[in-house]
Amino acid sequence: MNMKSRIFLLLASLSLMVSCAKDNAQETINAPTIEFSLEQSSKDLLKSIKTDFIKLELTKDSSIETIGQIIELGDTIVISDISNPNLLAFTKQGNFISTIGEKGIGPGEYINATSIFYDREHNAIGLYDEQNLKIIYYDASTFKYSHEQYYKDIKAGCCMPVGDGLIWYNEAYDGRSSDYYFLITDNVGKIKKEFVKKDFKSGYITGNTTCLYTVKDRIRGYIPYSTILYDFSNQEATPIYDLRFKGFDMPTPKELNKISINGNSPVLFKKLSESGYISYFDVVESNDLLASTVIAKKKSHVALLDKKTGERIFMSSGKFASKLGLGKFQYFVSNSINSSIIAILDSENLILKNGKKKNKLNKDLSELIARDSVLNPIVALIHK
């Protein structure tokens, strides 16, 4: 399967999961508005951006198809592969350490590594397996299986520890919990709080299913069909940014119901991707930068905000990759490494372009891949 097909599969698989939407009643949200415009990208910010790269060692045990999430544990990074469900540990220099857990339905085994997180209090790696409806915990130092907990009443895209319980990005579209995007539960799944009411329900989602992430010690979250970014660190849904993209609009629930025949159409994703509305949206964040991928009319764009200066960039993903010498930009992943935003690069495209004058690669990146004909995806660290 080539890389283009993998990314299409990634977006299509996201589109077939449970979803909901928020009305464009964003005018009532009390949060700073951050507008991005294609005509006003900061040249100074672009010049100040630096990139480092991690070449992930490729062995018979460490092959990765599509990176889902990455979490940082000191000098180690843990990566989930969502195309060939697997959990792998590497050093920050890219050296392969080991796989974590095994595929299956037994203790410590998983079918689908839906999302991963670090439980700092217990020094554990948590893996949520939506297929088996359980969270598996592995010791973060030895990677050995510790214990697991079933959550049969929860249907979620991702979760992470908060206080003495868990916060979930909720994908349910029937039952009591279906009316809210975010749930806080105790450690056995009893709902304690619910946040951000759903205005549209269907069998689809467009966008990232891991809509929760951490930056420093803060928990952030966002939802499909809305560009509001929330902070959940105090176990409340506090809007912190209202992101806007000039010339690109989110569909309202009324428009979504029309496109989807009130949530019953099997071609919502296809119709939405062909409309003028945003059909895919994600957010990632580091200490200094906030970035987003925005897709509308099947064209991908990258937005980048310097949180300290307010400078911003908004341009096509192709132009963004070209300016930074990244070959072909694929997508961002949640959380950060070394206080850098994580971007995933198309290794097949890098090999094809290496050494060619047109769309010249970053020098460090070119040297990194020069002697290889087959690579794992390359991890790019974007920072100031």
PDB file of all heavy atoms in Angstrom, residues 281-316:
ATOM      1  N   PHE A 281     -10.244  18.706  10.380  1.00  0.00           N
ATOM      2  CA  PHE A 281      -9.661  19.742  11.217  1.00  0.00           C
ATOM      3  C   PHE A 281      -9.014  19.078  12.417  1.00  0.00           C
ATOM      4  O   PHE A 281      -9.608  18.212  13.061  1.00  0.00           O
ATOM      5  CB  PHE A 281     -10.767  20.699  11.672  1.00  0.00           C
ATOM      6  CG  PHE A 281     -10.377  21.654  12.776  1.00  0.00           C
ATOM      7  CD1 PHE A 281      -9.525  22.711  12.521  1.00  0.00           C
ATOM      8  CD2 PHE A 281     -10.867  21.490  14.058  1.00  0.00           C
ATOM      9  CE1 PHE A 281      -9.163  23.596  13.529  1.00  0.00           C
ATOM     10  CE2 PHE A 281     -10.519  22.361  15.081  1.00  0.00           C
ATOM     11  CZ  PHE A 281      -9.671  23.418  14.810  1.00  0.00           C
ATOM     12  N   ASP A 282      -7.763  19.435  12.720  1.00  0.00           N
ATOM     13  CA  ASP A 282      -7.143  18.965  13.952  1.00  0.00           C
ATOM     14  C   ASP A 282      -6.304  20.074  14.563  1.00  0.00           C
ATOM     15  O   ASP A 282      -6.032  21.099  13.921  1.00  0.00           O
ATOM     16  CB  ASP A 282      -6.326  17.685  13.734  1.00  0.00           C
ATOM     17  CG  ASP A 282      -5.119  17.880  12.816  1.00  0.00           C
ATOM     18  OD1 ASP A 282      -4.703  19.035  12.608  1.00  0.00           O
ATOM     19  OD2 ASP A 282      -4.595  16.875  12.301  1.00  0.00           O
ATOM     20  N   VAL A 283      -5.921  19.897  15.816  1.00  0.00           N
ATOM     21  CA  VAL A 283      -5.131  20.886  16.540  1.00  0.00           C
ATOM     22  C   VAL A 283      -4.032  20.164  17.305  1.00  0.00           C
ATOM     23  O   VAL A 283      -4.257  19.102  17.892  1.00  0.00           O
ATOM     24  CB  VAL A 283      -5.988  21.677  17.553  1.00  0.00           C
ATOM     25  CG1 VAL A 283      -5.127  22.692  18.311  1.00  0.00           C
ATOM     26  CG2 VAL A 283      -7.133  22.386  16.864  1.00  0.00           C
ATOM     27  N   VAL A 284      -2.821  20.719  17.279  1.00  0.00           N
ATOM     28  CA  VAL A 284      -1.723  20.251  18.126  1.00  0.00           C
ATOM     29  C   VAL A 284      -1.075  21.482  18.756  1.00  0.00           C
ATOM     30  O   VAL A 284      -1.245  22.601  18.275  1.00  0.00           O
ATOM     31  CB  VAL A 284      -0.675  19.440  17.331  1.00  0.00           C
ATOM     32  CG1 VAL A 284      -1.294  18.187  16.744  1.00  0.00           C
ATOM     33  CG2 VAL A 284      -0.047  20.282  16.227  1.00  0.00           C
ATOM     34  N   GLU A 285      -0.316  21.259  19.822  1.00  0.00           N
ATOM     35  CA  GLU A 285       0.193  22.404  20.569  1.00  0.00           C
ATOM     36  C   GLU A 285       1.495  22.029  21.275  1.00  0.00           C
ATOM     37  O   GLU A 285       1.664  20.912  21.760  1.00  0.00           O
ATOM     38  CB  GLU A 285      -0.868  22.817  21.597  1.00  0.00           C
ATOM     39  CG  GLU A 285      -0.712  24.183  22.169  1.00  0.00           C
ATOM     40  CD  GLU A 285      -1.891  24.561  23.063  1.00  0.00           C
ATOM     41  OE1 GLU A 285      -2.894  23.816  23.102  1.00  0.00           O
ATOM     42  OE2 GLU A 285      -1.792  25.608  23.737  1.00  0.00           O
ATOM     43  N   SER A 286       2.427  22.971  21.318  1.00  0.00           N
ATOM     44  CA  SER A 286       3.633  22.853  22.128  1.00  0.00           C
ATOM     45  C   SER A 286       3.661  24.042  23.072  1.00  0.00           C
ATOM     46  O   SER A 286       2.714  24.828  23.136  1.00  0.00           O
ATOM     47  CB  SER A 286       4.875  22.829  21.240  1.00  0.00           C
ATOM     48  OG  SER A 286       5.064  24.091  20.609  1.00  0.00           O
ATOM     49  N   ASN A 287       4.753  24.213  23.807  1.00  0.00           N
ATOM     50  CA  ASN A 287       4.841  25.348  24.729  1.00  0.00           C
ATOM     51  C   ASN A 287       4.713  26.676  23.998  1.00  0.00           C
ATOM     52  O   ASN A 287       4.090  27.619  24.502  1.00  0.00           O
ATOM     53  CB  ASN A 287       6.168  25.310  25.478  1.00  0.00           C
ATOM     54  CG  ASN A 287       6.277  24.109  26.404  1.00  0.00           C
ATOM     55  OD1 ASN A 287       5.285  23.440  26.685  1.00  0.00           O
ATOM     56  ND2 ASN A 287       7.489  23.825  26.865  1.00  0.00           N
ATOM     57  N   ASP A 288       5.302  26.773  22.795  1.00  0.00           N
ATOM     58  CA  ASP A 288       5.353  28.044  22.076  1.00  0.00           C
ATOM     59  C   ASP A 288       4.419  28.138  20.877  1.00  0.00           C
ATOM     60  O   ASP A 288       4.037  29.237  20.480  1.00  0.00           O
ATOM     61  CB  ASP A 288       6.789  28.302  21.579  1.00  0.00           C
ATOM     62  CG  ASP A 288       7.796  28.392  22.711  1.00  0.00           C
ATOM     63  OD1 ASP A 288       7.454  28.987  23.755  1.00  0.00           O
ATOM     64  OD2 ASP A 288       8.906  27.863  22.558  1.00  0.00           O
ATOM     65  N   LEU A 289       4.096  27.008  20.288  1.00  0.00           N
ATOM     66  CA  LEU A 289       3.366  27.010  19.023  1.00  0.00           C
ATOM     67  C   LEU A 289       2.046  26.252  19.113  1.00  0.00           C
ATOM     68  O   LEU A 289       1.908  25.310  19.893  1.00  0.00           O
ATOM     69  CB  LEU A 289       4.221  26.388  17.912  1.00  0.00           C
ATOM     70  CG  LEU A 289       5.554  27.048  17.598  1.00  0.00           C
ATOM     71  CD1 LEU A 289       6.350  26.179  16.618  1.00  0.00           C
ATOM     72  CD2 LEU A 289       5.354  28.443  17.027  1.00  0.00           C
ATOM     73  N   LEU A 290       1.092  26.687  18.300  1.00  0.00           N
ATOM     74  CA  LEU A 290      -0.157  25.959  18.089  1.00  0.00           C
ATOM     75  C   LEU A 290      -0.299  25.760  16.586  1.00  0.00           C
ATOM     76  O   LEU A 290      -0.075  26.699  15.814  1.00  0.00           O
ATOM     77  CB  LEU A 290      -1.348  26.727  18.648  1.00  0.00           C
ATOM     78  CG  LEU A 290      -2.732  26.085  18.516  1.00  0.00           C
ATOM     79  CD1 LEU A 290      -3.623  26.467  19.699  1.00  0.00           C
ATOM     80  CD2 LEU A 290      -3.429  26.471  17.209  1.00  0.00           C
ATOM     81  N   ALA A 291      -0.635  24.545  16.172  1.00  0.00           N
ATOM     82  CA  ALA A 291      -0.748  24.255  14.741  1.00  0.00           C
ATOM     83  C   ALA A 291      -2.038  23.509  14.460  1.00  0.00           C
ATOM     84  O   ALA A 291      -2.581  22.821  15.322  1.00  0.00           O
ATOM     85  CB  ALA A 291       0.449  23.444  14.261  1.00  0.00           C
ATOM     86  N   SER A 292      -2.505  23.661  13.223  1.00  0.00           N
ATOM     87  CA  SER A 292      -3.729  22.985  12.814  1.00  0.00           C
ATOM     88  C   SER A 292      -3.618  22.567  11.351  1.00  0.00           C
ATOM     89  O   SER A 292      -2.985  23.248  10.547  1.00  0.00           O
ATOM     90  CB  SER A 292      -4.934  23.912  12.989  1.00  0.00           C
ATOM     91  OG  SER A 292      -6.112  23.322  12.476  1.00  0.00           O
ATOM     92  N   THR A 293      -4.222  21.421  11.041  1.00  0.00           N
ATOM     93  CA  THR A 293      -4.412  21.012   9.651  1.00  0.00           C
ATOM     94  C   THR A 293      -5.869  21.258   9.299  1.00  0.00           C
ATOM     95  O   THR A 293      -6.764  20.833  10.024  1.00  0.00           O
ATOM     96  CB  THR A 293      -4.093  19.521   9.450  1.00  0.00           C
ATOM     97  OG1 THR A 293      -2.790  19.246   9.935  1.00  0.00           O
ATOM     98  CG2 THR A 293      -4.181  19.146   7.977  1.00  0.00           C
ATOM     99  N   VAL A 294      -6.116  21.953   8.204  1.00  0.00           N
ATOM    100  CA  VAL A 294      -7.469  22.286   7.764  1.00  0.00           C
ATOM    101  C   VAL A 294      -7.632  21.800   6.329  1.00  0.00           C
ATOM    102  O   VAL A 294      -6.861  22.175   5.446  1.00  0.00           O
ATOM    103  CB  VAL A 294      -7.709  23.817   7.821  1.00  0.00           C
ATOM    104  CG1 VAL A 294      -9.102  24.156   7.329  1.00  0.00           C
ATOM    105  CG2 VAL A 294      -7.501  24.333   9.238  1.00  0.00           C
ATOM    106  N   ILE A 295      -8.625  20.952   6.093  1.00  0.00           N
ATOM    107  CA  ILE A 295      -8.898  20.460   4.742  1.00  0.00           C
ATOM    108  C   ILE A 295     -10.282  20.916   4.303  1.00  0.00           C
ATOM    109  O   ILE A 295     -11.264  20.729   5.019  1.00  0.00           O
ATOM    110  CB  ILE A 295      -8.809  18.929   4.654  1.00  0.00           C
ATOM    111  CG1 ILE A 295      -7.403  18.462   5.043  1.00  0.00           C
ATOM    112  CG2 ILE A 295      -9.153  18.443   3.245  1.00  0.00           C
ATOM    113  CD1 ILE A 295      -7.219  16.956   5.020  1.00  0.00           C
ATOM    114  N   ALA A 296     -10.355  21.544   3.152  1.00  0.00           N
ATOM    115  CA  ALA A 296     -11.622  21.953   2.541  1.00  0.00           C
ATOM    116  C   ALA A 296     -11.494  21.791   1.038  1.00  0.00           C
ATOM    117  O   ALA A 296     -10.428  22.044   0.465  1.00  0.00           O
ATOM    118  CB  ALA A 296     -11.957  23.400   2.900  1.00  0.00           C
ATOM    119  N   LYS A 297     -12.567  21.346   0.398  1.00  0.00           N
ATOM    120  CA  LYS A 297     -12.565  21.074  -1.050  1.00  0.00           C
ATOM    121  C   LYS A 297     -11.388  20.180  -1.432  1.00  0.00           C
ATOM    122  O   LYS A 297     -10.754  20.352  -2.464  1.00  0.00           O
ATOM    123  CB  LYS A 297     -12.515  22.387  -1.847  1.00  0.00           C
ATOM    124  CG  LYS A 297     -13.760  23.243  -1.692  1.00  0.00           C
ATOM    125  CD  LYS A 297     -13.685  24.489  -2.562  1.00  0.00           C
ATOM    126  CE  LYS A 297     -14.956  25.313  -2.424  1.00  0.00           C
ATOM    127  NZ  LYS A 297     -14.920  26.546  -3.259  1.00  0.00           N
ATOM    128  N   LYS A 298     -11.092  19.228  -0.557  1.00  0.00           N
ATOM    129  CA  LYS A 298     -10.040  18.230  -0.772  1.00  0.00           C
ATOM    130  C   LYS A 298      -8.638  18.826  -0.819  1.00  0.00           C
ATOM    131  O   LYS A 298      -7.694  18.157  -1.248  1.00  0.00           O
ATOM    132  CB  LYS A 298     -10.317  17.417  -2.044  1.00  0.00           C
ATOM    133  CG  LYS A 298     -11.625  16.646  -2.006  1.00  0.00           C
ATOM    134  CD  LYS A 298     -11.800  15.812  -3.249  1.00  0.00           C
ATOM    135  CE  LYS A 298     -13.109  15.028  -3.201  1.00  0.00           C
ATOM    136  NZ  LYS A 298     -13.305  14.197  -4.409  1.00  0.00           N
ATOM    137  N   LYS A 299      -8.487  20.080  -0.367  1.00  0.00           N
ATOM    138  CA  LYS A 299      -7.179  20.724  -0.331  1.00  0.00           C
ATOM    139  C   LYS A 299      -6.764  20.959   1.116  1.00  0.00           C
ATOM    140  O   LYS A 299      -7.544  21.452   1.923  1.00  0.00           O
ATOM    141  CB  LYS A 299      -7.197  22.039  -1.116  1.00  0.00           C
ATOM    142  CG  LYS A 299      -7.417  21.849  -2.610  1.00  0.00           C
ATOM    143  CD  LYS A 299      -7.360  23.175  -3.346  1.00  0.00           C
ATOM    144  CE  LYS A 299      -7.559  22.973  -4.847  1.00  0.00           C
ATOM    145  NZ  LYS A 299      -7.500  24.256  -5.593  1.00  0.00           N
ATOM    146  N   SER A 300      -5.522  20.610   1.415  1.00  0.00           N
ATOM    147  CA  SER A 300      -5.032  20.683   2.785  1.00  0.00           C
ATOM    148  C   SER A 300      -4.224  21.958   3.023  1.00  0.00           C
ATOM    149  O   SER A 300      -3.432  22.382   2.173  1.00  0.00           O
ATOM    150  CB  SER A 300      -4.147  19.462   3.078  1.00  0.00           C
ATOM    151  OG  SER A 300      -3.596  19.535   4.367  1.00  0.00           O
ATOM    152  N   HIS A 301      -4.443  22.577   4.191  1.00  0.00           N
ATOM    153  CA  HIS A 301      -3.714  23.779   4.591  1.00  0.00           C
ATOM    154  C   HIS A 301      -3.171  23.609   6.009  1.00  0.00           C
ATOM    155  O   HIS A 301      -3.722  22.842   6.809  1.00  0.00           O
ATOM    156  CB  HIS A 301      -4.622  25.016   4.538  1.00  0.00           C
ATOM    157  CG  HIS A 301      -5.037  25.392   3.159  1.00  0.00           C
ATOM    158  ND1 HIS A 301      -6.031  24.729   2.476  1.00  0.00           N
ATOM    159  CD2 HIS A 301      -4.584  26.356   2.313  1.00  0.00           C
ATOM    160  CE1 HIS A 301      -6.189  25.269   1.279  1.00  0.00           C
ATOM    161  NE2 HIS A 301      -5.320  26.253   1.158  1.00  0.00           N
ATOM    162  N   VAL A 302      -2.109  24.339   6.309  1.00  0.00           N
ATOM    163  CA  VAL A 302      -1.502  24.336   7.638  1.00  0.00           C
ATOM    164  C   VAL A 302      -1.598  25.733   8.232  1.00  0.00           C
ATOM    165  O   VAL A 302      -1.273  26.727   7.570  1.00  0.00           O
ATOM    166  CB  VAL A 302      -0.024  23.897   7.573  1.00  0.00           C
ATOM    167  CG1 VAL A 302       0.671  24.141   8.911  1.00  0.00           C
ATOM    168  CG2 VAL A 302       0.074  22.426   7.199  1.00  0.00           C
ATOM    169  N   ALA A 303      -2.066  25.796   9.482  1.00  0.00           N
ATOM    170  CA  ALA A 303      -2.089  27.052  10.239  1.00  0.00           C
ATOM    171  C   ALA A 303      -1.119  26.917  11.401  1.00  0.00           C
ATOM    172  O   ALA A 303      -1.066  25.866  12.045  1.00  0.00           O
ATOM    173  CB  ALA A 303      -3.495  27.332  10.753  1.00  0.00           C
ATOM    174  N   LEU A 304      -0.346  27.969  11.668  1.00  0.00           N
ATOM    175  CA  LEU A 304       0.653  27.940  12.738  1.00  0.00           C
ATOM    176  C   LEU A 304       0.599  29.260  13.495  1.00  0.00           C
ATOM    177  O   LEU A 304       0.621  30.333  12.879  1.00  0.00           O
ATOM    178  CB  LEU A 304       2.047  27.718  12.150  1.00  0.00           C
ATOM    179  CG  LEU A 304       3.173  27.364  13.126  1.00  0.00           C
ATOM    180  CD1 LEU A 304       2.954  25.972  13.699  1.00  0.00           C
ATOM    181  CD2 LEU A 304       4.528  27.423  12.422  1.00  0.00           C
ATOM    182  N   LEU A 305       0.509  29.174  14.824  1.00  0.00           N
ATOM    183  CA  LEU A 305       0.436  30.358  15.683  1.00  0.00           C
ATOM    184  C   LEU A 305       1.590  30.366  16.666  1.00  0.00           C
ATOM    185  O   LEU A 305       1.854  29.364  17.339  1.00  0.00           O
ATOM    186  CB  LEU A 305      -0.885  30.350  16.462  1.00  0.00           C
ATOM    187  CG  LEU A 305      -1.013  31.366  17.610  1.00  0.00           C
ATOM    188  CD1 LEU A 305      -1.149  32.786  17.068  1.00  0.00           C
ATOM    189  CD2 LEU A 305      -2.197  31.024  18.510  1.00  0.00           C
ATOM    190  N   ASP A 306       2.312  31.498  16.744  1.00  0.00           N
ATOM    191  CA  ASP A 306       3.272  31.717  17.815  1.00  0.00           C
ATOM    192  C   ASP A 306       2.490  32.272  18.997  1.00  0.00           C
ATOM    193  O   ASP A 306       2.005  33.401  18.956  1.00  0.00           O
ATOM    194  CB  ASP A 306       4.355  32.716  17.369  1.00  0.00           C
ATOM    195  CG  ASP A 306       5.440  32.905  18.410  1.00  0.00           C
ATOM    196  OD1 ASP A 306       5.130  32.900  19.620  1.00  0.00           O
ATOM    197  OD2 ASP A 306       6.614  33.065  18.028  1.00  0.00           O
ATOM    198  N   LYS A 307       2.329  31.478  20.042  1.00  0.00           N
ATOM    199  CA  LYS A 307       1.453  31.857  21.158  1.00  0.00           C
ATOM    200  C   LYS A 307       1.997  33.045  21.948  1.00  0.00           C
ATOM    201  O   LYS A 307       1.240  33.741  22.628  1.00  0.00           O
ATOM    202  CB  LYS A 307       1.247  30.662  22.090  1.00  0.00           C
ATOM    203  CG  LYS A 307       0.526  29.491  21.419  1.00  0.00           C
ATOM    204  CD  LYS A 307       0.101  28.432  22.426  1.00  0.00           C
ATOM    205  CE  LYS A 307       1.285  27.749  23.042  1.00  0.00           C
ATOM    206  NZ  LYS A 307       0.868  26.644  23.949  1.00  0.00           N
ATOM    207  N   LYS A 308       3.304  33.298  21.854  1.00  0.00           N
ATOM    208  CA  LYS A 308       3.899  34.392  22.618  1.00  0.00           C
ATOM    209  C   LYS A 308       3.815  35.718  21.881  1.00  0.00           C
ATOM    210  O   LYS A 308       3.554  36.763  22.486  1.00  0.00           O
ATOM    211  CB  LYS A 308       5.355  34.058  22.959  1.00  0.00           C
ATOM    212  CG  LYS A 308       5.490  32.879  23.912  1.00  0.00           C
ATOM    213  CD  LYS A 308       6.938  32.611  24.280  1.00  0.00           C
ATOM    214  CE  LYS A 308       7.042  31.461  25.278  1.00  0.00           C
ATOM    215  NZ  LYS A 308       8.452  31.169  25.648  1.00  0.00           N
ATOM    216  N   THR A 309       4.030  35.700  20.553  1.00  0.00           N
ATOM    217  CA  THR A 309       4.040  36.958  19.792  1.00  0.00           C
ATOM    218  C   THR A 309       2.731  37.222  19.047  1.00  0.00           C
ATOM    219  O   THR A 309       2.480  38.342  18.629  1.00  0.00           O
ATOM    220  CB  THR A 309       5.180  36.946  18.755  1.00  0.00           C
ATOM    221  OG1 THR A 309       4.888  35.956  17.751  1.00  0.00           O
ATOM    222  CG2 THR A 309       6.513  36.624  19.420  1.00  0.00           C
ATOM    223  N   GLY A 310       1.933  36.178  18.846  1.00  0.00           N
ATOM    224  CA  GLY A 310       0.701  36.327  18.070  1.00  0.00           C
ATOM    225  C   GLY A 310       0.919  36.217  16.568  1.00  0.00           C
ATOM    226  O   GLY A 310      -0.045  36.258  15.799  1.00  0.00           O
ATOM    227  N   GLU A 311       2.164  36.082  16.123  1.00  0.00           N
ATOM    228  CA  GLU A 311       2.439  35.913  14.690  1.00  0.00           C
ATOM    229  C   GLU A 311       1.845  34.594  14.219  1.00  0.00           C
ATOM    230  O   GLU A 311       1.788  33.624  14.978  1.00  0.00           O
ATOM    231  CB  GLU A 311       3.947  35.924  14.433  1.00  0.00           C
ATOM    232  CG  GLU A 311       4.615  37.258  14.667  1.00  0.00           C
ATOM    233  CD  GLU A 311       6.110  37.159  14.447  1.00  0.00           C
ATOM    234  OE1 GLU A 311       6.781  36.457  15.227  1.00  0.00           O
ATOM    235  OE2 GLU A 311       6.609  37.781  13.485  1.00  0.00           O
ATOM    236  N   ARG A 312       1.421  34.571  12.956  1.00  0.00           N
ATOM    237  CA  ARG A 312       0.805  33.346  12.456  1.00  0.00           C
ATOM    238  C   ARG A 312       1.100  33.106  10.984  1.00  0.00           C
ATOM    239  O   ARG A 312       1.440  34.023  10.239  1.00  0.00           O
ATOM    240  CB  ARG A 312      -0.701  33.377  12.722  1.00  0.00           C
ATOM    241  CG  ARG A 312      -1.431  34.541  12.068  1.00  0.00           C
ATOM    242  CD  ARG A 312      -2.694  34.902  12.840  1.00  0.00           C
ATOM    243  NE  ARG A 312      -2.393  35.577  14.086  1.00  0.00           N
ATOM    244  CZ  ARG A 312      -3.308  36.107  14.890  1.00  0.00           C
ATOM    245  NH1 ARG A 312      -4.587  36.004  14.588  1.00  0.00           N
ATOM    246  NH2 ARG A 312      -2.958  36.705  16.008  1.00  0.00           N
ATOM    247  N   ILE A 313       0.964  31.847  10.594  1.00  0.00           N
ATOM    248  CA  ILE A 313       1.159  31.391   9.222  1.00  0.00           C
ATOM    249  C   ILE A 313      -0.085  30.625   8.805  1.00  0.00           C
ATOM    250  O   ILE A 313      -0.658  29.880   9.587  1.00  0.00           O
ATOM    251  CB  ILE A 313       2.396  30.455   9.134  1.00  0.00           C
ATOM    252  CG1 ILE A 313       3.689  31.213   9.420  1.00  0.00           C
ATOM    253  CG2 ILE A 313       2.464  29.763   7.777  1.00  0.00           C
ATOM    254  CD1 ILE A 313       4.883  30.295   9.637  1.00  0.00           C
ATOM    255  N   PHE A 314      -0.519  30.804   7.548  1.00  0.00           N
ATOM    256  CA  PHE A 314      -1.605  30.005   6.992  1.00  0.00           C
ATOM    257  C   PHE A 314      -1.313  29.832   5.512  1.00  0.00           C
ATOM    258  O   PHE A 314      -1.261  30.803   4.762  1.00  0.00           O
ATOM    259  CB  PHE A 314      -2.955  30.691   7.212  1.00  0.00           C
ATOM    260  CG  PHE A 314      -4.147  29.828   6.882  1.00  0.00           C
ATOM    261  CD1 PHE A 314      -4.179  28.487   7.246  1.00  0.00           C
ATOM    262  CD2 PHE A 314      -5.236  30.356   6.215  1.00  0.00           C
ATOM    263  CE1 PHE A 314      -5.270  27.688   6.958  1.00  0.00           C
ATOM    264  CE2 PHE A 314      -6.345  29.570   5.919  1.00  0.00           C
ATOM    265  CZ  PHE A 314      -6.356  28.229   6.294  1.00  0.00           C
ATOM    266  N   MET A 315      -1.067  28.599   5.107  1.00  0.00           N
ATOM    267  CA  MET A 315      -0.711  28.327   3.708  1.00  0.00           C
ATOM    268  C   MET A 315      -1.036  26.876   3.375  1.00  0.00           C
ATOM    269  O   MET A 315      -1.341  26.075   4.265  1.00  0.00           O
ATOM    270  CB  MET A 315       0.770  28.608   3.468  1.00  0.00           C
ATOM    271  CG  MET A 315       1.715  27.782   4.309  1.00  0.00           C
ATOM    272  SD  MET A 315       3.487  28.165   4.048  1.00  0.00           S
ATOM    273  CE  MET A 315       3.567  29.906   4.466  1.00  0.00           C
ATOM    274  N   SER A 316      -0.966  26.539   2.097  1.00  0.00           N
ATOM    275  CA  SER A 316      -1.230  25.167   1.694  1.00  0.00           C
ATOM    276  C   SER A 316      -0.201  24.238   2.327  1.00  0.00           C
ATOM    277  O   SER A 316       0.943  24.643   2.593  1.00  0.00           O
ATOM    278  CB  SER A 316      -1.184  25.033   0.175  1.00  0.00           C
ATOM    279  OG  SER A 316       0.146  25.154  -0.293  1.00  0.00           O
TER     280      SER A 316
END
